[in-house]
Amino acid sequence: GVRPPLERQPDFPRDVLGYSMNAYYGGRAECRIRLVPVPVVYCDFLAMYSTVCALLGLWQLLTSTTVRVIEHDPAQLQARLDALTPELLLDPASWPGLVGLAQIAPDGDVLPVRGRYDERNLGIGLNPLHTRETMWYALPDLHASALLTGRAPAILRHITFEPGRKARTLRPARLRGKVKLD
């Protein structure tokens, strides 16, 4: 019973939908040391997308009748990023505060970027980005950039999302026909 966002809310701002689509860099993987043998420990992140969805509290947005877009003072996010520590992000209670987008003026910020990294394939790399254009990024990417570079990106606009009431179209489902999800 989860319906597409524009079916649930036909008047959702199309510009914000575009910002969100532009800021999405799913399936990202990173490598810090290349072509050098190093000891490793294999970590299997089973169900990472669903875990991140739960930690961010995104299910409420996906199952609500409406989503409200809230514009914030960019200085608030700038101050948060300026004071960011890894310990803050290790606290799961901080993750719901990462649901949102910001428009930035990239100036050497380390961010995911789509580009041709070989002759045939378009891919996503984590690069220092310099451009005259402003760009929209998800808040987790901006927090990562601040930690990686030791400085916060320049925030121009900051928006977050607030779910409305839970949709009445939702119904229980069975995972693989066995485990009831409600």
Side-chain angles (χ1 to χ4, degrees), residues 86-105:
E87 291 74 26
L88 174 71
L89 296 179
L90 290 172
D91 178 4
S94 72
W95 281 44
L98 299 176
V99 179
L101 304 170
Q103 184 183 36
I104 66 166

Side-chain angles (χ1 to χ4, degrees), residues 6-166:
L6 291 178
E7 188 179 305
R8 289 181 283 142
Q9 188 176 353
D11 63 340
F12 189 84
R14 297 304 198 272
D15 57 343
V16 174
L17 187 59
Y19 305 152
S20 300
M21 294 167 75
N22 195 359
Y24 179 71
Y25 290 90
R28 182 173 131 191
E30 299 171 20
C31 175
R32 299 275 177 236
I33 302 171
R34 293 185 65 230
L35 306 174
V36 177
V38 296
V40 298
V41 174
Y42 176 72
C43 297
D44 181 10
F45 287 100
L46 184 63
M48 186 188 277
Y49 280 106
S50 55
T51 301
V52 170
C53 180
L55 286 168
L56 290 172
L58 298 178
W59 190 244
Q60 290 81 357
L61 293 171
L62 294 172
T63 58
S64 65
T65 54
T66 58
V67 174
R68 193 174 122 211
V69 177
I70 304 166
E71 185 99 23
H72 297 275
D73 178 358
Q76 292 175 332
L77 177 58
Q78 191 74 60
R80 177 182 169 150
L81 291 172
D82 287 339
L84 185 64
T85 65
E87 291 74 26
L88 174 71
L89 296 179
L90 290 172
D91 178 4
S94 72
W95 281 44
L98 299 176
V99 179
L101 304 170
Q103 184 183 36
I104 66 166
D107 186 22
D109 304 297
V110 175
L111 295 161
V113 179
R114 290 179 182 89
R116 293 215 178 275
Y117 293 91
D118 64 35
E119 294 175 10
R120 298 180 305 167
N121 299 307
L122 187 65
I124 298 171
L126 200 62
N127 302 304
L129 179 59
H130 299 271
T131 179
R132 292 185 186 126
E133 302 294 322
T134 63
M135 297 179 74
W136 285 88
Y137 275 91
L139 297 186
D141 288 325
L142 299 178
H143 283 70
S145 179
L147 290 177
L148 289 168
T149 64
R151 63 177 179 77
I155 307 299
L156 305 175
R157 285 181 67 195
H158 174 213
I159 58 176
T160 59
F161 306 101
E162 181 179 280
R165 67 176 173 78
K166 191 176 224 177

